[in-house]
Every structure is written in C-alpha cells, then in structure tokens.
Amino acid sequence: MHSYDYALLLAFFALVLLPAPWLGRFYYKVMEGQRTWLSPLLGPVERGCYRLAGVDPATEQSWKTYALALLAFNLAGFGLLFAVLLLQGHLPLNPQHLPGQEWSLAFNTAVSFMTNTNWQSYSGEASLSYLSQMLGLTVQNFVSAATGLAVLVALCRGIARRSASTLGNFWVDMTRATLYGLLPLCLLLALLLVWQGVPQTFTDYVHALTLQGADQVIPLGPAASQIAIKQLGTNGGGFFGVNSAHPFENPSAWSNLFEVASIILIPVALVFTFGHYVKDLRQSRAIIACMLALFVIGGATALWSEYQPNPTLNSPLVEQTAPLEGKESRFGTTASVLWSVTTTAASNGSVNNMHDSLNPLSGMVALVNMMVGEVIFGGVGAGLYGMLLNVLIAVFLAGLMIGRTPEYLGKKLQAREVQLLVATLLVMPVGVLVLGALATSLPGPAAAVSNPGPHGFSQLLYAYTSASANNGSAFAGLGANTTFHNLMIGLGMLIGRFGYILPVLALAGSLALKKSAPVGQNSFPTHGPLFVTLLLVTILLIGGLTFLPALALGPVAEYLSLGL
Amino acid sequence: MNLPVSEVKAAPSATARTTFAALWRPALVQAFVKLDPRQLKRAPVMLVVELTAIFTTLLCLLPSDVPTGVSVQIAVWLWFTVLFANFAEALAEGRGKARADSLKAGSQGLNARRRMASGEFEVVPASDLRKGDVVRVDAGEMIPGDGEVIEGIAAVNEAAITGESAPVIRESGGDRSAVTGNTRLVSDWLLVQITSNPGESTLDRMIALVEGAKRQKTPNEVALDILLIGLTLIFLVVVVTLQPFAHFAGGSIPMVFLVALLVTLIPTTIGGLLSAIGIAGMDRLVRLNVIARSGRAVEAAGDVHVLLLDKTGTITFGNRRCSAVHAAPGITARELGEGALLASLADDTAEGKSIVDYLRQLHDFTPPDAAHLVPVAFSAETRLSGVDFGAQRYRKGAVDSVLAFVGMQRLDLPAALAREVDRIAQSGGTPLLVCVDKRLLGVIHLKDVVKPGIRERFAELRKLGIRTVMVTGDNPLTAAAIAAEAGVDDVLAEATPEKKLARIRQEQNDGRLVAMCGDGANDAPALAQADVGMAMNDGTQAAREAANMVDLDSDPTKLLDVVQVGKELLVTRGALTTFSIANDVAKYFAILPALFAAIYPQLGVLNLMQLASPQSAIVSAIVFNALIIVVLIPLALRGVRVQAASAAHLLRRNLLIYGLGGLLVPFVGIKLIDLALNALHLV
C-alpha cells in the first residue's frame, strides 16, 4: 500500500465519523419536529404535505397502526413501480423506446427497490427508460430509505418512552425523513457529482464512431440525482449496469471518495440519533465502537487478502502487484476493497469492482458482513435497528448472569420480547439457507452458476445472502435473470425486509408500554469495553454458528484449495 | 412427624450427603419414566434430542456407509443425553419431594369436624373441606387445613411445618389468628374457618413448587425457553440445508452424522438442566423455610430494587438495651457501676437485664446477697425502680422522675451530665438517671440495639444495587439515628399503613421493584402492592393471603436470603446458557472437518484438535455433549453463588468463567474423549 492508500482511508474515516455527532443530533431534532436551520425553508413544505394528504401531525399511532400504514405505503409503492416497469414501453420519457420488463423481472425489480435492496437482474442503460429510472426507482430509493429511518425512530421511541402506547406517526416520520433527512444531502451530493462529471440530462444516448470504425452507443440520462440517493439511502441500484465502476457514475477519485463515504454517512450519524433519543450518548459510543471494530477487522482481512499475489503466477519470472482482475485500474486495490467492505457492511450494494473476482477471503468478508444481518452501520435505519436487536440478544443472553431479569436501558426483556427477537434471528437462516438450499437442489436454478465447485456455491450463496440482507450487491457470474431466481430472490428480499420490520415495530410497541427501571449501579452495563466485546462476540457467534458450514463449503474451501 | 425438618436444620451438610445417597436410586428410575414424550414436552430441546435418538436408533438398522458400531454408539449416547437430563430433573425433584412427602403423609386420612348449618358438627375427610367451612379442633388433634381462628385460644405445635418445636399461641382476633393445616393443637380448642380449597393450601403450594410436572415455569424461564427453541430451530435449518449444499458440492453426508451435528449444536446443556435449576431454586427456598405462592415471586426477588424493612425485629432487637453509662462529675466509674447495678438488680424487664449484663461485662462485681436487698418495683406514681440496700436507696428512672426524687430542678443538673443527657436523647436513645439517696451518680444510655451483622448485610445489598428503607413508627429524629447506625439508605418515619402503601406505589411508579415483609392485618394492602411481599407465619391470615411468600420461621431478615436465592436462580440459568452456546464453537471445529472430509479434504485444516478420524471426532463431540450435563448437575442443583458486587463486576467474572470457559473447555474435553475412544478402540 502506498501513502495515498492510507490518505484515502484516513479521508474516508474523517468524512464519515467527524460529521456524525452533529448530523445525528440534526436527525433527532428533525424527527422529533424540533426547529432546525432548515425549518424556515422546509417547514412550509412539510405543513403543505400534511394538508395535502390530510394528515394530522399531532396524532400518534400504536405500533399496529404504524405497521399497517407502513405496509400499505410499501404495497402502494410496489404496485406503482411494478406497473411502471411493465408498461414503460407505453409511457413517456423513453427516448430509446425500451420495451416493458418481463413480469418476473419487473416483480424482482419492484420488490428490490421497495425493500431498499436494489438487487438488479437487469442492466439499467439497456432496459430502463428515464421515466422508470426517475419516477420508479429514484422515488423508491428515497422512500425505502425513509421507511428504514421511520422504523428506527419508532424503535428508539419505544425504548425511550415509558408506559406509552404510541410510537409516533408513520406519515409524519416519512415526510420528515425524506424532506429534511435525505433531500438536502442528496442535492449537495448530486451537485458535487455533476461537478465531477456525472451526467444529468434528458437527452438521447449519444452515438459515436470509434477509431476502429465501430458504432458506439454512449448511454446518458438523469444519473447524478439518482446516484446521490443510491449512495446516501444505502440503496445501491446503479443507473448503469456496472454500477459505480462505470465512468459516468463514478468519474474520478473525488467522486469515488464522496460516494464511498456517502454509503455510511447517515447510518453512522443515526447511532448518535439513538443516543439523543435515550438521553445517553455512551450507548451510541459503545455501538459505534462495536460497528467500527467489526468494520476494521473485516476491512483489514480483505485488504490483506487482496494484496496477496496470485499463487498460480508464483514464479520468479513474473513480477506481481496486487491482482487487479475485476477492478477498475482507475481506482486500484485499496479504493476497491474499501468500497466492497463498506457497501456490504452497510446494506448498500453498489459496487466499483466485481465481487466475483475478489479473493476467497475478501469475498468471504463481504459475505460475512451481510450474513451478520447488515448491522455494521447497515442500511439507513435498518442497520441500527438490526444492531439494536443484537444488543437486546446480547443483553438477554448475558443479562441473567448479573442475577436480574435482563434489562436494556431500564426496559425488561421478557417472553414477548424474546419471541420477537427469535423471529428476527430466523430471518437470515431462512432467507439464505432455506432458499439457497432450494436453489442448489433444483437442477435448473443450480445451473445458473458460472463456475464449478466452491466458487459456484459462493455465487449462489452470495445472491441469496445479498437478497435476504437487503444488500443488493451481486457476485457476478450468477445468471440471476431466470423466473426462478427472480421470484426466489424477490421472496428473500421480502423476508429480509419485513421479517425484521414487523417484529421490530412490535418490539417497539411492547417496550414502549413498559415502565422503565432506573438505570444504576446494579443495571446491566451496556457501555464500556466489556459490553462492546460481548456484543461483538454475540454477533460473530450467532452469525458464525448459523453460517459456518455454508461458508466452509464456499469461500473457505476455495481459499484452502488455492493454497494461498 | 417433624423429623426431616429438624434433620435439615440440625446438620445440613450431613443430610445433603445422606439425601443424595437416598435419592439417586429413585432418580435413576424416574429418568427412564420421564422418557415419556408427554412429560418431555415441557423441555422442548430434550424432546428434539429424544426424537433424534429414536431416529438414529432406526438408522442403525438400515445399511449405511457409517460402520454400524459407530451409529450404535451415537444412538446410545443420544439416549444417554436425554437420560442424564431427566436424571438431573428427577434428582432436583427428589430433594424437595422427600420433604413434601413427609408432610403429605401427615395429611393422609385426616378427618375434620365440620359445623353444619344446624350448628352441630359432622365428621368429614379433611380433603372435603372448602373455603368458608368452619371446623372445631380439640387438643391433641391436627388442624385439617389453613384457616383463621374465629373463636377460642389454644397452643399449637407447628413443628411439622416450621420445624420449631415450641408451641405457639393462636387466638381469634388480633395478629395471631392464622393457623396452618397439618399442625397439632396441644391445648384447649379452636373454631377455625377454613381459608383455602383443597390443592391451595400452604402444604399443597410447597409440594407444587418442587414437583417438575406441576411446576409453573417462571417468567424468565419462559423467555429463556423461547430463546432455546429459537436456537434449536436455527440449527435445524442449518443442519437440514447442509445436505443439499453437500450434494451441490458433489458429495453426501451420512444421515447419522447430520443428526449428531444437530444434537451437539442445539443448546442441550441448558435445555437439559433448565428444569432442574428451577426446581432446585425452589427447594433452596423451602429449605429456608419460606413458602412462595409462585416461582414468579422468587424471581422477582432477584430483581428487587428497594427493600422496605420494619425496624423492630428486623433491624433492631425490638427492645431497648443498655449501651453505655456516663458518670456524673465527681463520681468514679466504679461508683456509678455499682449504683446502676444495684438499682437494676431487681428489675426483671429486658431493659433492666440488659443493664446488669452490660455492667457485669464492664466491671467485676460481686453483688450483695439478695437477702439484704429490698426491691422497689416500678410504680406509676414514682416512676422509679431500684432497691433499698441497708439505709441506702438506689433508684433509676427517667430524667424528670429521678430529679424529682433527689429534689433538683432540670437546670440544677451538672453541666457535663446535662450535655450527656441531651446527646443521648438526640441520638434517639433513652437516658436513665441513677441516684443513691439524694446523690446523682450518672446516666445510663438505653438504646434500640441494631442486630449484629445487619449493617454488613445492608452494605452487601447496596453493592448489589438494592436500597434498604427502614420503616418505623418512631419520630424522625430517633429514626434517623437508628438508620445511621444500621446503615440503611432511607427512612420512613412515623409510618402508617397508608404511608407505607404510598411509598411502595411511588417507588413502583419510578420503575422500581419493591419487596417488604409484614405481619399485621394493616400490612395486607402494602404486602399485596409490593412486588415481593413476605408475610410472617405467626401473623394474620389477611397478611398471609396478601403476601406472595410466607416465612414459616417468622424471621423478617429472611427477605435478604430470598433475594439471594432469586439472584442465584437467574445467574445459574444465564451462566449455563452462555456456557452451552459457547460450547458450540469447539463442536463445529470437531464435526465440520469430519463431515466434509470426503468432499473437501483441504478442510482438514479446521481439525484444530487433531482428532484421530472423522468417526471418532463425531462420537467424541456427542459423548462430550452428554457428559457435560452430568458434570454440571451439581452446579445446577447448588446454584451459582452470587457475591455482593456491582453488576459490571459480576458480569465480567461470570463471562470469564462461563463464556470463555465454555469456549475453551470443550476443546480439551473433546480431545481427551477422542484419545480415550481411540485408546479403547471403540471407533
């Protein structure tokens, strides 16, 4: 690694961590309707939205009403997107006259964007009209991220409130999350990207004659605005097929830095938002410490692995640097690995290199990042509520050992809470292992892999992990655009999204109802190095125990057979 | 009748040993009886193990790649796993049952004389009595059920329940009206109104708490059960999906091995011992002579934040004692000592005796022959007591009375003595002046004496984060003084039942759990409101019904022990759960390389323990899994000790022992078993 590699890492951590406390407080104020510097500008818009929709922002909802509103909103979003994708051939803003998507692909895509997964079994420039990209995908990019944020604040309120029966108003939370939480930052990032050369235009694709005399079609479109939310909203669905490896999505070193930092900018900040909700920033610091530790362990492993020379070329005649297959030479190894680790840690899924070409160990880091449930910063809102589930599990497992009914921040964890926690624990095993087993045992779906042996298994495992974790990145090589995989991966995404959201909201409702015991010397300590270690071990243990056999048959076997 | 009880009380360690010897045989039989799936349903994890054991036994009969010897060994050890868990539960049950059975024996064939509507009495079996029935009990008869005395006064021997052989007086009205079934009237007669239906009596409750099949699971146990079922489901998914993955990789895993993997992964250790832990916890409580209405209350005791303790009887001895003497100016300590001793010799009250005891320890006196002493008893008129010894009149009494006796005004009191008197009064004590004739000798300091060791117990509780509140009818000044001496955290002075109730509600509104004990009828609302209410057995029926625990020894300090039992119960469960889950890591490293040896030989690198062969690795893991249950039975029955320490300290310690220990122990254990298996050529 060169000095500029270290500079990149330093700049990345600075960009992500330094604004987090400030941004986290901003999100708290925004979501609780307090006045911020944006209020004079956006306040009238916000109130206008409520008037238009007939929402009374002062009315709060029980967890059930909140969940029903969320489901209805998501269903409507899915329906709209599904229709647009099917019918885009008959809709305006389609300069390339692209036909509608095949139904299973449209289903897969609609589910994918509604669930904040952004798994893409299609290539944007070859199959989507500008209208589909903007009205369909970009809208879902915003509202799926806002949904995650809404669920998170509902959980925060559930933990913070005492003997309360309501969790807030879903419509208000959605409005505030989108209006204050996402739009301003996206505007800023889009402008930065346009400055760096990302197109933002409605004009047709450009036809050019290459030096070889061939006719080249250069795709354009309103890319910058979509890429901004794709990164900030932990969506990850690229405007172009190769995502942020495409020179129009990610033209320069600067755009690469901005984009990779944007992936976890909001998730990191939200950890502080939680601290403001529970009026104890020590909790935030403990959670951040655990996330950072997991991130750094994974990142260091992946970097080390990617800087290893290719053993098959091990000969004094060959001078080797780090292998660059599947990577953009514009970005090099460090920037590629940093992106891979970040995009899988957060449930983003955008890529600037091809994960299929990663060494087995760094591929495994990407897999593990997702398998632990996207809790290492994770998706907007989703990452932290996933992490809080792990916190509750850790507290329940070890909490009894201080001789008290396990309590988190004064809230007792009883049968009802454990029931809901167990429901969320089952999401990843069912989504990844059961659906994966189904895919591997049917001859047709299993043939979609492009490599034999452990690597082929990794491709399948990766696809179902990515779907269930709502990540959306792909281990290229799997021909995923088949009816089976479109439907099953779609199912995986639905399980992975709502298998968490519904129990989390129920949990929030149940916790809100409880009285809160005063936190003191005899409470289970949920800050400090001991708890951080406990949380870390719990996450790795649960993920490890669930997925070790599968990983052994995939990346581990591949790694050991390479003799690296 | 009261044999087992007094035995337990007399020599707990000796009985523990003899009980074990007497218990393990029936427990062994019970271990097989409990294989009945209907019984095993209460422990879902073990039910899964039993199903896999049946499945594996069937697999042994089918041809397979695995040598039949190995399959049979796996099947046998799976059966052992279930049997060991059953044995643990049976052993825990046996200890409590032995006591319950001896109690039950007393109630067999018991008859009662029930009052009919006509006012006459008819003889019916005790088991036919219902709430509200009125029975007559005469001297020498057994009281047929729990009830309240509505007429009469009698001495009752409650040894069968409490182990205390001295009879106690029970009478209608007042605070001593409650009687317990199966206790014997030793004098007079009583009319008793029965207050519990069959199956709800104190005795029935005691039996239900220690019988596994009838025992209601406590809230934390239910929550833990759900988690264990969840983990079992996850591992079921992991194991079931492994075969398709192996097929995709071009291989196949023998079914027996998959079953072995499943059983080693699911939390069998805690799943097998969970019930035994709960029963043993209740049994510890019964040994303390405390009867809980439900396990829920015992668990809640572990969670308590605040203890409301009555001053009298709990914190102090309840009567004032001499704690110091101060001489008047010009009087030697010996003169005062002799004078005070003489003035108190004839005083038969506890206070008088305490003065004599105190002075005898201080000085070496030979009191004059009693024949020379003319006792002067306390009279309402003089409000003094003492003796006439020859011509000298020794007197002691309250300050004003003695001053009147010596013919002095309060202001005439020597300054040094006056200061001492004021200091004693301000510290919550009672000053008594001593004089001989017209000469003031000094002042005796009487005070409510705090029980020895209670301060240290409160300090321990504070370390566990539990606050103690002293409840007393004293004025705030006296209360504060005693509170400071006893080391309680807070005081509720001039307490009335309403004030107590309000205090409990206030603490609960702040999210705290409150425990208290009481005996009077006016304590009943507070006892009912408290999260843990412990009534004294010699208290009123109202208090006993409102409380969720009854202390048969009527010792309020028991509350502290109950808290300890509650905590131990929770810690033991948590420790074994952590241990159980941490064990899985080593088991993976034993089994995974063995499973995949044929498919990807390179995965042999994961065989960290260098186990001899795939078969021996799998058998070793399953043997370890079964034996660890046996190894941990003593811990499950005894419970993990909870020292007085902060939560962070307890967590660190237990994580280190049971978390890290759970991670490392199986690596060693499985390796040793593997060496043994290969040395014996079993695989």
Side-chain angles (χ1 to χ4, degrees), chain A residues 397 400-405 412 418 422 433 437 454 457 515-518 521-524 541 545-546 549 557 560-561, chain B residues 220 223 227 230 238 241-242 245 302-303 305 464-465 508 510-512 567 570-571 578 585 588 600 602 646-647 651 654:
Chain A
L397 279 181
L400 285 170
M401 283 198 292
I402 64 163
R404 304 181 56 80
T405 299
K412 278 199 164 48
V418 176
V422 163
L433 297 178
F457 181 67
K515 281 184 194 165
S516 170
Q521 203 206 349
N522 64 335
S523 323
F524 188 86
L541 206 61
L545 292 178
T546 314
L560 292 171
S561 61
Chain B
N220 272 308
L227 183 79
V238 170
T241 56
L242 207 48
F245 292 164
D303 282 342
H305 295 96
L464 286 168
Q508 286 174 337
D510 293 344
R512 297 193 180 89
K567 286 200 177 294
L570 296 176
V571 172
T578 309
V585 176
Y588 258 142
Y600 295 125
Q602 65 264 34
S646 70
L651 180 65
N654 288 332

Side-chain angles (χ1 to χ4, degrees), chain B residues 115-189:
Chain B
R115 188 165 71 181
M116 293 183 293
S118 63
E120 286 169 44
F121 291 90
E122 58 171 348
V123 175
V124 294
S127 52
D128 284 1
L129 292 176
R130 291 289 178 278
K131 207 169 174 168
D133 285 349
V134 174
V135 295
R136 186 188 158 98
V137 190
D138 281 320
E141 291 177 350
M142 298 282 269
I143 296 173
D146 289 1
E148 183 153 23
V149 179
I150 51 172
E151 209 181 318
I153 174 167
V156 179
N157 183 343
E158 296 189 335
I161 296 286
T162 66
E164 172 61 59
S165 52
V168 289
I169 300 296
R170 291 285 177 256
E171 58 185 319
S172 61
D175 282 356
R176 303 188 165 276
S177 59
V179 288
T180 312
N182 283 55
T183 54
R184 189 177 297 276
L185 222 64
V186 288
S187 77
D188 306 284
W189 58 272

Side-chain angles (χ1 to χ4, degrees), chain B residues 112-340:
Chain B
R113 267 175 296 151
R114 183 167 63 184
R115 188 165 71 181
M116 293 183 293
S118 63
E120 286 169 44
F121 291 90
E122 58 171 348
V123 175
V124 294
S127 52
D128 284 1
L129 292 176
R130 291 289 178 278
K131 207 169 174 168
D133 285 349
V134 174
V135 295
R136 186 188 158 98
V137 190
D138 281 320
E141 291 177 350
M142 298 282 269
I143 296 173
D146 289 1
E148 183 153 23
V149 179
I150 51 172
E151 209 181 318
I153 174 167
V156 179
N157 183 343
E158 296 189 335
I161 296 286
T162 66
E164 172 61 59
S165 52
V168 289
I169 300 296
R170 291 285 177 256
E171 58 185 319
S172 61
D175 282 356
R176 303 188 165 276
S177 59
V179 288
T180 312
N182 283 55
T183 54
R184 189 177 297 276
L185 222 64
V186 288
S187 77
D188 306 284
W189 58 272
L190 292 175
L191 270 190
V192 176
Q193 183 160 38
I194 298 296
T195 50
S196 61
N197 286 326
E200 296 168 5
S201 70
T202 307
L203 187 59
D204 293 315
R205 259 189 253 152
M206 219 156 127
I207 294 168
L209 275 179
V210 292
E211 270 187 5
K214 291 183 197 157
R215 203 173 56 93
Q216 265 209 325
K217 288 181 183 175
T218 57
N220 272 308
E221 205 176 346
V222 172
L224 191 52
D225 240 355
I226 295 171
L227 183 79
L228 298 183
I229 294 171
L231 289 174
T232 308
L233 280 176
I234 291 176
F235 289 125
L236 202 63
V237 168
V238 170
V239 172
V240 168
T241 56
L242 207 48
Q243 190 70 291
F245 292 164
H247 283 315
F248 184 81
S252 175
I253 301 170
M255 202 53 108
V256 186
F257 288 1
L258 281 179
V259 168
L261 177 64
L262 174 67
V263 172
T264 48
L265 289 182
I266 62 177
T268 46
T269 314
I270 179 68
L273 292 173
L274 191 57
S275 166
I277 295 170
I279 296 169
M282 295 306 145
D283 181 51
R284 276 203 295 283
L285 203 67
V286 169
R287 271 154 200 265
L288 282 173
N289 261 348
V290 174
I291 294 181
R293 198 176 282 272
S294 67
R296 176 186 289 264
V298 185
E299 245 182 35
D303 282 342
V304 154
H305 295 96
V306 183
L307 286 183
L308 248 53
L309 296 171
D310 271 325
K311 182 195 80 171
T312 310
T314 312
I315 297 172
T316 65
F317 282 107
N319 37 36
R320 293 174 299 175
R321 291 174 167 223
C322 170
S323 69
V325 288
H326 303 280
I331 307 288
T332 65
R334 192 165 181 93
E335 269 178 294
L336 168 66
E338 264 176 7

Side-chain angles (χ1 to χ4, degrees), chain A residues 123 125 198-199 216-220 223 227 230 238-252 255 259 328 330-331 351-354:
Chain A
S123 197
E125 64 271 38
V198 176
Q216 191 189 2
V217 182
I218 301 172
L220 291 172
I227 293 163
K230 155 195 121 175
F239 194 87
F240 304 107
V242 291
N243 215 300
S244 281
H246 195 286
F248 282 177
E249 276 208 43
N250 191 1
S252 67
S255 69
E259 287 184 19
E328 279 281 291
R330 302 184 290 139
F331 302 134
V351 291
N352 75 348
N353 68 95
M354 293 302 120

Side-chain angles (χ1 to χ4, degrees), chain B residues 18-36 39-40 79-98 101 210 276 279 630 633 637:
Chain B
T18 42
T19 359
F20 182 78
L23 286 177
W24 74 269
R25 267 169 212 282
L28 218 52
V29 177
Q30 277 298 309
F32 284 91
V33 175
K34 283 171 186 282
L35 284 177
D36 181 348
Q39 281 204 41
L40 220 50
W79 283 112
F80 274 144
T81 311
V82 189
L83 287 173
F84 290 158
N86 286 349
F87 178 70
E89 190 189 59
L91 207 58
E93 265 178 22
R95 303 206 302 182
K97 243 184 183 166
D101 281 344
V210 292
I279 296 169
V630 181
I633 287 178
L637 296 191

Side-chain angles (χ1 to χ4, degrees), chain A residues 276-530:
Chain A
H276 285 288
Y277 267 101
V278 300
K279 310 257 175 297
D280 185 358
L281 285 171
R282 292 176 310 173
Q283 309 298 333
S284 303
R285 286 194 280 270
I287 293 174
I288 287 267
C290 181
M291 288 173 161
L292 261 183
L294 285 165
F295 187 88
V296 169
I297 294 169
T301 313
L303 268 180
W304 175 82
S305 160
E306 285 306 311
Y307 272 100
Q308 298 307 302
N310 188 335
T312 49
L313 300 177
N314 236 348
S315 135
L317 300 175
V318 183
E319 192 191 341
Q320 284 199 68
T321 56
L324 276 174
E325 204 236 15
K327 298 186 181 70
E328 279 281 291
S329 51
R330 302 184 290 139
F331 302 134
T333 302
T334 305
S336 300
V337 172
L338 177 64
W339 191 299
S340 293
V341 173
T342 313
T343 197
T344 48
S347 75
N348 186 284
S350 63
V351 291
N352 75 348
N353 68 95
M354 293 302 120
H355 289 184
D356 193 28
S357 304
L358 290 174
N359 277 336
L361 275 190
S362 28
M364 185 165 84
V365 168
L367 265 172
V368 171
N369 277 346
M370 296 186 282
M371 281 170 169
V372 295
E374 291 295 15
V375 296
I376 312 171
F377 303 114
V380 170
L384 185 55
Y385 67 65
M387 186 52 136
L388 285 172
L389 294 174
N390 278 299
V391 168
L392 295 180
I393 290 163
V395 167
F396 185 79
L397 279 181
L400 285 170
M401 283 198 292
I402 64 163
R404 304 181 56 80
T405 299
E407 274 171 12
Y408 182 57
L409 299 174
K411 299 283 188 171
K412 278 199 164 48
L413 304 181
Q414 290 159 313
R416 166 90 175 147
E417 287 73 41
V418 176
Q419 222 168 12
L420 295 165
L421 285 175
V422 163
T424 64
L425 277 181
L426 281 165
V427 168
M428 289 304 287
V430 169
V432 177
L433 297 178
V434 174
L435 296 184
L438 212 60
T440 48
S441 36
L442 297 172
V449 299
S450 62
N451 291 67
H455 193 77
F457 181 67
S458 296
Q459 292 176 345
L460 262 176
L461 188 66
Y462 195 102
Y464 283 91
T465 307
S466 174
S468 305
N470 290 161
N471 182 281
S473 67
F475 223 47
L478 177 72
N481 188 11
T482 68
T483 310
F484 177 88
H485 285 303
N486 277 336
L487 293 181
M488 282 301 141
I489 289 175
L491 182 62
M493 293 188 280
L494 287 172
I495 295 174
R497 183 69 163 177
F498 297 104
Y500 279 104
I501 285 183
L502 295 179
V504 164
L505 286 177
L507 194 67
S510 160
L511 288 175
L513 275 177
K514 287 175 191 272
K515 281 184 194 165
S516 170
V519 176
Q521 203 206 349
N522 64 335
S523 323
F524 188 86
T526 50
H527 50 82
L530 184 66

